[in-house]
Amino acid sequence: MKKELQRNLVRTARTTTLYILVAGVAMVILFPIYFLVTMSLMSDFEMYNEWPLPMLPSFSMSFKLQNSQKGYLLSIYNKVDNTYLDMLDTNDTGYIINFVKRKTNCTLTREKLNEIIEELKNNSKVEFKLRKNFLLNYTLFFRLKKDAWPAFLRSIYTAVVTILISLSIGGMGGYAFSRYFFKGKNFLKLGVLFVRMFPAVATAIPAAIILGNMGLYDKPIGLAFIYSIGSIGLTIWITASIFLSIPVELEEAAQIFGTSKAGAFWHVTLPLALPGLAACAMYAFIGSWNEYAQAIILTQFNPTFPVVVFEYVLGATGMAHLATAGGMTLAIPAVIFYLFIRRYILRMWGGVRV
Amino acid sequence: MKKPVVFFLTALLVTITVSVGFATGQREGGAAKPVLVVDSRLWSPPEEQEFVINNVLKDFETQNDCTIDFSIVNDNDMLKRAKVQQSTNHVSTDVIIAYVAKFPEWVKNGYVDDLTSYVASWKDRTFSKGFEKLTIFNGKQYFLPIGADVYLLAANKKALKYLPSGVDVQNITWKQVVDWAIAIKKGEGVGKFAWTGVPQKMLIYQFGSMVLSYGGGFPDVDSAGAIKAWQQAVRLQHAFTPAVKTYDNVVPAMKRGEAWLTVTHNARVGQIYESNPNQFVIAPAPVGPAGRGAIAGTSGLAIMKNAPHKALAVKFLEYMTRPDIMLKLMKGTGGFIPPIDECIKLLGTSVKDEVIKKSLIVLNQGVLSFVPGAQFKDWGAVKLVVDKAFNQLVLVEGAVDKAYLAKAAKEIDALRK
Amino acid sequence: MDSLTHSRSIWKKAAPYLLIAPTIVWYGFFWARPVIQAFYGGFFDLNGHFTLDNYKFVFNDPYFLQAIFNTFFIAIVSVAVEFVLAFGLSLLINIRFKGAGVFLFIATIPMALPFVAIAAMWKAGLATYGWLNSFLYHVGLIAKNGKIVFMSGNKWPSIFVIIIIDAWGVIPSMMIILVAGMQNLNEELKEAGYIFGGTRLTVLRKITIPLLKSTITTALILRIISAIQIWAIITLMFGYLRLPTLVSQLVFYSDQRAPADPVYYQRALAYSVIVAIIISSIVILYLKVSGSFRKEENG
């Protein structure tokens, strides 16, 4: 009896240690991401005037307005020190409204400010609370960085063209690999792998010259041509394995019932392969969407979105809250697409069972 | 993955491709009135262009019943265009706005008209003295400065308690700045002075302002003035913030309170000051034995020789350099200072006005130098030499190493065109 | 009839080549041509005359040796650290505890994040007044005046910071390869090991690791190849030249210097070639140990 108890105890202790370890590792992974999200929701005030930084973005801010010699003295409540921090001493009410918005992401309406000023005639100070505009950093990022939105569209365009090229060319290649035997097949397969692993930055400069000669330098379509090199290889490998898993007998059966070989492919094989092709498309999307090392070299006046965010992070002019909002805007589509293809990625590495 | 999802995604992709394809458009306009052609290097960001066209140029157009054809052209193309127009005797451009470093080339080639008599007849404006030697050639003024930028000092109010007694921040000398930074380090235990430590950023201008104050030229590293500046700079060895080498911009560090004291570009100082006006003190760039040294930039309005609408062009220059118009122009576009003394009278006490006021003091009293980028094969390489020297002498050795500086000076000379 | 079957059989023979042709053309045009031009262009000056100056410049570049050292040092140390951690994590996942699926999901999130987003995150995190110090303060590990300077910009602390950031982002993909390898192991062998009296450690050492050898090589070499990407994080965190690597020098010369002085394009090409040679040799090594060459003989 006692022995069993002891054994149970040991087992519980072991499980607990295991879960503490797992939780610890999960924390290390999630914590920075949590902070990326949090920072992208913080205002300039939370980001720069409070130390330590709050662990949660606030939903509202408290303000205090006092009469002063110059006009009005505006203070903002600092949750860390539990004190009001004097910010601005001015008689320009328009500037106060503007300042509140820029500094705290809160909207102070003119009516509200007039009310407060009216109240100030009888009181020495007025304290008030405003709700924070939670997603202002995101809209602000696009408004302040003028080329962000065109770059966003260019990035989508580039990704779509990359998908179209790699699916059509790579899909054909994958079909050939799965259905036919031909000379040099293995050599080609190895070649595809080699090209995929070759550092693309190393060829970016001559690629820029070639694109320039074609009149495609600094254009999304030229970028897509270069990006598709990597994704064609991947598409070949994935589609080859997909087509292999679809039995040739199915196609043959369809041909017996009177369709041509192309018809059989179109009506039988392709629909079955669609989910896998979609995964290839998404892989190509992520590859193109996240890429910026080549884009820096292959574009000049028409950068893609990652390049714009790259420049913003590199030269962040004291606006980390906006830089992180840009980073998040870049990350969200990639993560969503990743969720779709996660299973395929895991399977590609030899069938990880989850 | 389900089929509907796939179809949905395909549909989405197609829609996006099509809509992006249509997302480009063009505008065109025509005119019958006299057309004044203005080529400018300034205001290339679309929102600035929009402001200039709608809020400044439009008034001139209605007052003079003309149309302004305003376009952004870079300096080199502008010069090329002028060469073609002048040599074929077929001038179509009336007014140009060029960069200060290019002035000598315009004047030397005789592409621009002498403006001295017009300027003398405008009694209500005085162009900043600091720019005199840059706009006047052989006693004749060819350019009117427009849109200047300059260096200022910014300090966190928390640093004021370490300010050596009897020192006026508005008239502080470089030696006093260094003493101040050292006192802060002593009192706080950690350095609070900031410059941009990442290579190829603004350090060359921050240090260059100091060299000018000691009578050196820009970008000198081993002249007598520069040596005096280095002697002060090396005393800063431990007074910098610990992370100074990773600053590509001093604004974040100043906003966070990680750094308390800096000398930097007026646009940056504006950002720092506006982030929390009650927390910061701003002042003109510090002075030295030779005066208030500062790296400054400006552009210049000029009239093309044989311009087709000369009279209108003169009117245009008069309009653009009116103190009120100039101020409006500068406040509506980012980070520039109106290089006209009278603007100071029009300034209020707002945060932006404060920054302009301090900058005007520097423009008026300053020993100014522009960035002589055009005189070098590769300005980035010159920056690197100064960055390296700064790193070695100030951050590593903490002593003036004349042999090292002589070598660095040779490297810079080798980069001259 | 005869000619029809004949043409059909030709068609059948030609079909795979027609299907594969676009890939070859595409690769030839957009990959092989740039590669050849890079090799070729590195030996010419701006006027098209043959010269070795570009390579002379690279080998005399004061940053070149540093770049070589940094690239390899960071690659080797980070690969070692990441491998040990990833291996430990995959052993953990392989225990198949309840919630291992969720854990695997969490652990692979960093794979999807773009480098730029990761850099934005860490740049704000590691600033002296950033979130990591704030967190340490909140949990009571540091005092208000005891903020740790993670980003001093000095050489060794910078290398340390870079290795940590890289490990955070790269361990997941390494882990997946290892987990896959472990799951494909023959469980019976391990059981046999236990039956013959092996402890967990000896089974791990004598059976699991030897059986995983090819998986481990794959993981390591793939990792070394992608270590070339590390320049991006370095540049984002410290700017150019603070901690030069081969690729960051390549991008620095082509993107920052060449616009002012086109001769830097040629010099960057020389850098490209050196990077390409180093990486290609590692790739070929990988293909060799992974057994891809042998498969070719089997057809």
Side-chain angles (χ1 to χ4, degrees), chain A residues 6-304:
Chain A
Q6 207 175 354
R7 207 182 297 150
N8 268 343
L9 218 67
V10 169
R11 196 183 300 154
T12 322
R14 207 184 276 163
T15 332
T16 320
T17 336
L18 174 72
Y19 277 101
I20 288 176
L21 193 65
V22 167
V25 174
M27 266 275 292
V28 170
I29 295 165
L30 289 180
F31 185 68
I33 299 174
Y34 168 76
F35 251 97
L36 178 67
V37 178
T38 310
M39 277 189 295
S40 74
L41 301 174
M42 282 193 198
S43 63
D44 185 285
F45 184 82
E46 291 165 90
M47 197 80 193
Y48 289 106
N49 286 74
E50 298 184 4
W51 199 92
L53 296 176
M55 294 286 114
L56 275 171
S58 41
F59 288 87
S60 65
M61 301 288 248
S62 302
F63 301 84
K64 187 171 76 177
L65 201 67
Q66 286 167 286
N67 286 311
S68 73
Q69 281 190 330
K70 268 194 189 171
Y72 309 101
L73 177 64
L74 178 80
S75 315
I76 305 177
Y77 189 70
N78 183 343
K79 291 192 177 91
V80 176
D81 300 332
N82 292 323
T83 49
Y84 276 101
L85 217 65
D86 294 346
M87 301 300 291
L88 180 66
D89 195 353
T90 180
N91 59 357
D92 183 351
T93 51
Y95 191 72
I96 293 179
I97 291 171
N98 209 323
F99 184 83
V100 165
K101 178 148 195 183
R102 187 159 42 78
K103 193 76 192 171
T104 65
N105 291 7
C106 297
T107 313
L108 175 62
T109 56
R110 189 156 280 283
E111 294 80 47
K112 172 97 180 162
L113 184 61
N114 289 341
E115 265 172 48
I116 293 164
I117 288 172
E118 201 54 41
E119 249 181 272
L120 262 184
K121 285 179 182 155
N122 306 317
N123 301 305
S124 63
K125 60 176 185 186
V126 178
E127 291 180 14
F128 59 99
K129 210 171 186 174
L130 293 173
R131 239 204 19 231
K132 210 172 93 186
N133 181 347
F134 220 56
L135 294 175
L136 189 68
N137 288 347
Y138 289 83
T139 40
L140 224 53
F141 176 79
F142 281 100
R143 207 154 355 117
L144 291 181
K145 190 87 187 159
K146 287 286 170 186
D147 48 350
W149 181 243
F152 192 86
L153 293 179
R154 273 194 291 273
S155 266
I156 293 176
Y157 184 81
T158 310
V160 171
V161 177
T162 310
I163 291 173
L164 293 178
I165 294 172
S166 56
L167 276 196
S168 51
I169 295 183
M172 279 159 78
Y175 191 78
F177 275 127
S178 69
R179 288 283 192 265
Y180 299 96
F181 287 100
F182 53 91
K183 263 188 200 154
K185 183 172 163 180
N186 270 303
F187 175 77
L188 265 174
K189 245 183 156 170
L190 276 181
V192 167
L193 198 64
F194 182 83
V195 169
R196 165 121 188 108
M197 287 176 179
F198 195 83
V201 225
T203 59
I205 302 167
I209 297 167
I210 289 175
L211 288 182
N213 291 339
M214 295 169 68
L216 297 177
Y217 174 72
D218 200 20
K219 288 191 178 141
I221 190 139
L223 265 185
F225 282 0
I226 302 298
Y227 286 172
S228 57
I229 293 292
S231 51
I232 283 176
L234 200 72
T235 311
I236 289 181
W237 278 79
I238 297 179
T239 49
S241 70
I242 294 167
F243 289 131
L244 264 182
S245 70
I246 298 167
V248 195
E249 289 76 24
L250 267 180
E251 275 178 53
E252 282 166 0
Q255 272 170 285
I256 289 168
F257 286 109
T259 44
S260 63
K261 184 150 185 148
F265 173 79
W266 194 251
H267 292 291
V268 179
T269 314
L270 200 60
L272 283 171
L274 260 186
L277 288 175
C280 290
M282 287 181 184
Y283 218 121
F285 178 91
I286 290 183
S288 154
W289 181 261
N290 288 2
E291 207 291 330
Y292 62 96
Q294 294 179 76
I296 290 175
I297 297 173
L298 294 176
T299 60
Q300 192 177 4
F301 302 110
N302 299 305
T304 55

Side-chain angles (χ1 to χ4, degrees), chain B residues 165-406:
Chain B
S165 59
V167 172
D168 174 13
V169 181
Q170 300 302 327
N171 260 312
I172 196 165
T173 66
W174 274 106
K175 187 173 173 307
Q176 287 163 342
V177 169
V178 175
D179 289 340
W180 188 10
I182 293 170
I184 297 170
K185 154 79 185 176
K186 247 189 201 152
E188 293 288 315
V190 57
K192 292 280 189 184
F193 189 77
W195 267 346
T196 53
V198 165
Q200 293 213 306
K201 298 293 173 180
M202 297 172 101
L203 187 109
I204 192 171
Y205 310 125
Q206 291 165 326
F207 178 68
S209 298
M210 199 168 177
V211 173
L212 290 172
S213 306
Y214 281 93
F218 182 71
D220 284 6
V221 289
D222 75 334
S223 63
I227 296 286
K228 278 185 207 146
W230 282 113
Q231 279 162 353
Q232 291 303 323
V234 293
R235 290 171 56 217
L236 285 167
Q237 186 183 19
H238 301 292
F240 284 104
T241 61
V244 68
K245 279 175 154 186
T246 61
Y247 296 163
D248 45 20
N249 184 329
V250 295
V251 178
M254 287 296 286
K255 277 173 80 178
R256 284 193 195 107
E258 186 176 329
W260 283 357
L261 189 57
T262 190
V263 176
T264 190
H265 190 268
N266 65 277
R268 305 273 189 272
V269 168
Q271 277 180 313
I272 294 167
Y273 189 47
E274 280 182 50
S275 79
N276 196 347
N278 249 53
Q279 189 62 57
F280 294 103
V281 179
I282 60 166
V287 293
R292 203 182 286 284
I295 306 300
T298 193
S299 299
L301 280 160
I303 297 175
M304 189 83 109
K305 188 151 273 170
N306 304 323
H309 308 92
K310 170 102 191 243
L312 198 58
V314 172
K315 269 188 188 168
F316 181 70
L317 260 56
E318 189 277 327
Y319 172 80
M320 291 291 274
T321 54
R322 285 180 200 167
D324 57 327
I325 299 292
M326 185 69 97
L327 193 60
K328 183 173 160 192
L329 199 56
M330 295 301 121
K331 281 173 127 180
T333 56
F336 288 117
I337 308 302
I340 291 174
D341 293 350
E342 282 75 9
C343 289
I344 215 162
K345 286 184 223 147
L346 304 170
L347 291 169
T349 55
S350 83
V351 173
K352 236 182 192 152
D353 290 358
E354 287 289 322
V355 176
I356 295 180
K357 252 188 226 172
K358 308 292 178 195
S359 307
L360 279 174
I361 294 175
V362 180
L363 288 186
N364 188 255
Q365 313 173 346
V367 184
L368 306 182
S369 169
F370 59 86
V371 178
Q375 298 168 15
F376 290 89
K377 279 185 264 181
D378 182 357
W379 182 243
V382 179
K383 276 179 153 186
L384 266 184
V385 175
V386 177
D387 289 333
K388 268 197 265 178
F390 175 80
N391 190 49
Q392 185 63 25
L393 268 54
V394 178
L395 297 181
V396 177
E397 292 180 25
V400 181
D401 181 342
K402 283 190 184 160
Y404 185 98
L405 288 175

Side-chain angles (χ1 to χ4, degrees), chain A residues 19 28-29 31 35 51-53 55 183 193 197-199 202 206 210 225 228 233 292 296 314 338 346 349-350 353, chain C residues 17 26-27 33-34 98 108 112 129 131 134-135 137-138 168 176 180 183-184 232 235 255 272 279-280 286-287:
Chain A
Y19 277 101
V28 170
I29 295 165
F31 185 68
F35 251 97
W51 199 92
L53 296 176
M55 294 286 114
K183 263 188 200 154
L193 198 64
M197 287 176 179
F198 195 83
I210 289 175
F225 282 0
S228 57
Y292 62 96
I296 290 175
L314 204 62
Y338 171 71
L346 297 184
W349 290 116
R353 290 181 293 274
Chain C
Y17 299 101
W26 203 262
Y27 273 20
R33 224 163 60 133
K98 214 173 163 198
T108 50
Y129 282 56
W131 57 254
S134 303
F135 176 75
Y137 173 79
H138 279 298
W168 185 89
I176 283 185
Q183 288 184 347
N184 290 341
T235 313
D255 192 51
S272 301
I279 293 292
S280 305
Y286 162 73
L287 293 176

